[in-house]
Amino acid sequence: MDLAKIEKILKKEPDEAAEELLKEVEKVYGEVPYILNFMRDSPELLVSKIIYENAIVREFKRLDAKTVELISIGVAAALRCEHCLKLHIRVAQKLGVTKEEIFDAILIAGSLSNAAVLAEGTRAMDAEKLGLKDECEVCGIPEGKEKKD
């Protein structure tokens, strides 16, 4: 959505802008996601959410639509958001993404989720065993200093 279109939308009444944007979302997804329907009663929030998400997910052209949906599937699977996962699987299938490609995205998400659990858990174990104090503010890795009581 270019800036001129955003400006045009923002000049409308919030309810009217929200309904126009929801129609655009429905064209892309084939449906309106639950959370966006839920937000209809807060059109100011809904409009800004849709414009923001559209700029990230739909407007840049460095990734094609199939890749965006595979990333969305992986993230939804890792976050265990069943509703998002099902929605993005439906959209991916409409775009011609195969069952095998969808499964690969889920496998990758599972592998990374597993690695995150292991990394977090083992760092916490080491920190406690070694009596380390606070973690690094940037990366969360224990700083290696003894705890001060």
Side-chain angles (χ1 to χ4, degrees), residues 1-20:
M1 183 178 315
D2 62 24
L3 290 177
K5 187 170 183 178
I6 292 171
E7 186 177 357
K8 180 182 170 190
I9 289 169
L10 294 177
K11 287 182 179 178
K12 296 181 178 195
E13 290 297 315
D15 290 340
E16 184 183 352
E19 289 305 316
E20 182 178 322

Side-chain angles (χ1 to χ4, degrees), residues 26-46:
E26 189 168 12
K27 285 180 192 174
V28 172
Y29 289 125
E31 62 189 272
V32 176
Y34 171 82
I35 190 64
L36 298 183
N37 269 322
F38 186 88
M39 292 177 74
R40 280 181 195 251
D41 293 337
S42 303
E44 295 86 357
L45 295 174
L46 176 65

Side-chain angles (χ1 to χ4, degrees), residues 21 43 52 72-73 93 96 109 114 119 121 144 146:
L21 288 169
Y52 173 73
S72 299
I73 288 166
Q93 289 172 331
N114 177 269
E146 290 184 25

Side-chain angles (χ1 to χ4, degrees), residues 36-86:
L36 298 183
N37 269 322
F38 186 88
M39 292 177 74
R40 280 181 195 251
D41 293 337
S42 303
E44 295 86 357
L45 295 174
L46 176 65
V47 168
S48 60
K49 178 175 176 45
I50 292 173
I51 290 172
Y52 173 73
E53 287 184 359
N54 189 62
I56 293 171
V57 177
R58 300 284 164 222
E59 286 301 317
F60 66 80
K61 303 299 179 201
R62 294 183 295 268
L63 298 175
D64 61 272
K66 288 181 181 182
T67 302
V68 169
E69 288 310 318
L70 287 169
I71 292 169
S72 299
I73 288 166
V75 171
L79 294 175
R80 298 180 181 171
C81 182
E82 180 183 354
H83 305 290
C84 295
L85 182 56
K86 289 178 178 180

